[in-house]
């Protein structure tokens, strides 16, 4: 069954779950289409390129934390050789490879899970290359890797007040200032 592998390791079936929506947008025109019709065996996975936070110790053994400025990421779509998804990614790859200089040939892809509220968004994407073609009738899937200059992964905010305040940095800043005075 086709699946989506979320960044938290959870695997969701695409074929039978109508709450997963994959929307592809041409950056230059704003034209978009929901990629559907996934077939048995087609899967999707995504991940940020680097960790958002890294840790480094000083020579005294104290930990220092650093936020990464790298917001890039990638999505991999494993498509069946004879599917409409393969045709679409093949056409997009050819278009990106043959576009003239100065043409905005980037794509954006947004994956929304209407059940969990998770939204994965990739902006400024280019297809990395043509998947290795097994060139035989037993070829199971072709992995299309799309690299994005900006990759975000968001969830719904919990209903409890403690978490709602976390999305408003001014409240947290005011709290910290009052605690330090």
């Amino acid at each position: 069954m086709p699946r989506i592998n979320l960044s938290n390791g959870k695997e969701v079936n695409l074929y039978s779950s109508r709450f997963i929506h994959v929307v592809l947008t041409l950056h230059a025109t704003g034209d978009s289409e929901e990629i559907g019709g996934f077939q048995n065996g087609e899967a999707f996975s995504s991940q940020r390129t680097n960790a958002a936070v890294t840790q480094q110790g000083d020579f005294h053994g104290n930990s220092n934390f650093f936020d990464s400025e790298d917001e890039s990421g990638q999505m991999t779509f494993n498509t069946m050789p004879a599917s409409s998804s393969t045709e679409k990614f093949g056409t997009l790859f050819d278009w990106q490879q043959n576009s003239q200089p100065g043409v905005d040939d980037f794509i954006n892809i947004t994956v929304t899970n209407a059940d969990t509220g998770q939204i994965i968004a990739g902006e400024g994407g280019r297809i990395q290359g043509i998947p290795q073609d097994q060139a035989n009738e037993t070829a199971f899937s072709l992995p299309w890797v799309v690299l994005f200059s900006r990759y975000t992964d968001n969830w719904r905010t919990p209903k409890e007040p403690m978490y709602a305040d976390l999305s408003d940095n001014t409240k947290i800043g005011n709290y910290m200032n009052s605690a330090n005075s």
Side-chain angles (χ1 to χ4, degrees), residues 77-129:
F77 294 86
N78 294 305
T79 65
M80 303 292 283
S83 73
S84 63
S85 304
T86 298
E87 293 170 357
K88 291 172 185 177
F89 282 112
T91 299
L92 287 169
F93 177 75
D94 289 343
W95 171 62
Q96 287 181 331
Q97 292 302 301
N98 297 312
S99 64
Q100 298 298 316
V103 171
D104 184 353
D105 60 4
F106 295 103
I107 59 174
N108 299 339
I109 296 178
T110 303
V111 180
T112 305
N113 185 324
D115 185 42
T116 66
Q118 184 178 17
I119 300 172
I120 302 169
E123 299 174 8
R126 289 189 53 94
I127 297 173
Q128 185 177 40

Side-chain angles (χ1 to χ4, degrees), residues 45-81:
S45 62
S46 68
Q47 66 182 12
R48 186 179 165 124
T49 303
N50 293 307
V53 177
T54 58
Q55 180 181 11
Q56 182 177 351
D58 64 13
F59 57 93
H60 295 293
N62 300 317
S63 294
N64 292 314
F65 295 94
F66 300 94
D67 291 334
S68 172
E69 293 186 20
D70 180 1
E71 293 184 336
S72 63
Q74 71 180 40
M75 295 182 191
T76 303
F77 294 86
N78 294 305
T79 65
M80 303 292 283

Side-chain angles (χ1 to χ4, degrees), residues 96-161:
Q96 287 181 331
Q97 292 302 301
N98 297 312
S99 64
Q100 298 298 316
V103 171
D104 184 353
D105 60 4
F106 295 103
I107 59 174
N108 299 339
I109 296 178
T110 303
V111 180
T112 305
N113 185 324
D115 185 42
T116 66
Q118 184 178 17
I119 300 172
I120 302 169
E123 299 174 8
R126 289 189 53 94
I127 297 173
Q128 185 177 40
I130 295 175
Q132 180 179 354
D133 189 358
Q134 294 92 347
N136 63 45
E137 69 277 1
T138 61
F140 185 68
S141 67
L142 303 172
W144 295 91
V145 177
V146 184
L147 305 175
F148 294 98
S149 59
R150 185 161 191 268
Y151 173 92
T152 58
D153 200 342
N154 298 298
W155 294 268
R156 278 193 296 246
T157 302
K159 292 178 175 68
E160 291 79 10

Side-chain angles (χ1 to χ4, degrees), residues 174-181:
N174 292 339
Y175 171 76
M176 294 300 291
N177 291 334
S178 66
N180 291 331
S181 43

Side-chain angles (χ1 to χ4, degrees), residues 14-37:
L14 278 176
Y15 191 67
S16 62
S17 299
R18 298 179 193 266
F19 53 85
I20 300 287
H21 302 282
V22 180
V23 176
L24 184 139
T25 304
L26 298 179
H27 193 264
T29 63
D31 293 334
S32 62
E33 173 191 28
E34 184 169 348
I35 301 174

